[in-house]
Amino acid sequence: LARREPLPVSLDGQIIYAVGPSPPKPGQIIGSAGPTTTERMGRYLPALFSAGVRAVIGKGELHGRDMAAFTEHGAIYFAAIGGLGALLARQITAATVIGYEDLGPEALYALDLLAFPAVVIIDRAGRNFHETGRARWRLV
């Protein structure tokens, strides 16, 4: 994106799942596919959102500039539950490498999901569930 080179696929309207799946065992579509920490993607979020990405699925809290990128671009942050990689993999009905195959599990995959369990953490208005939930239960 920074070099303005064409991408292997359009990111317009896409959802990115921050995942580095393990290799599939025989008969599996994908190996364990639990979310990775979204914070490590923080510096790339503005460019990804400018390229058309509408949402990110990951895990962990986001603050400051990382959280602001979602609000500035009207994007949504979903969290999937870490530690459930095997269960989440069962909700993936197709996994096709569509770019950067040489990166192995870090390649770009197109995933088809079925009833994928995730919760909205940052909505389009910038409300952050981690912050509002914590504030609700904070002792005065």
Side-chain angles (χ1 to χ4, degrees):
L1 289 173
R3 292 189 306 258
R4 306 245 190 261
E5 295 176 6
L7 299 175
V9 296
S10 171
L11 296 180
D12 192 40
Q14 298 299 314
I15 298 172
I16 291 182
Y17 181 27
V19 60
S22 64
K25 294 178 182 172
Q28 289 182 323
I29 292 169
I30 197 168
S32 183
T36 60
T37 304
T38 307
E39 185 178 34
R40 71 180 76 167
M41 293 176 50
R43 64 183 174 167
Y44 305 110
L45 292 174
L48 290 168
F49 294 148
S50 292
V53 170
R54 302 308 323 141
V56 173
I57 303 170
K59 72 175 183 179
E61 292 190 40
L62 296 175
H63 303 282
R65 184 73 194 119
D66 296 340
M67 184 184 137
F70 285 87
T71 304
E72 290 167 9
H73 294 275
I76 298 170
Y77 174 40
F78 295 97
I81 299 172
L84 296 182
L87 173 69
L88 295 172
R90 288 189 218 138
Q91 302 310 115
I92 298 172
T93 59
T96 307
V97 174
I98 56 174
Y100 316 111
E101 186 171 7
D102 57 313
L103 298 178
E106 300 297 328
L108 189 58
Y109 287 78
L111 303 176
D112 291 340
L113 308 177
L114 175 67
F116 196 82
V119 62
V120 174
I121 298 297
I122 300 173
D123 67 15
R124 291 177 54 104
R127 290 177 293 243
N128 185 323
F129 176 74
H130 287 141
E131 293 175 0
T132 58
R134 189 177 300 111
R136 180 177 177 202
W137 296 102
R138 184 174 293 132
L139 296 175
V140 179

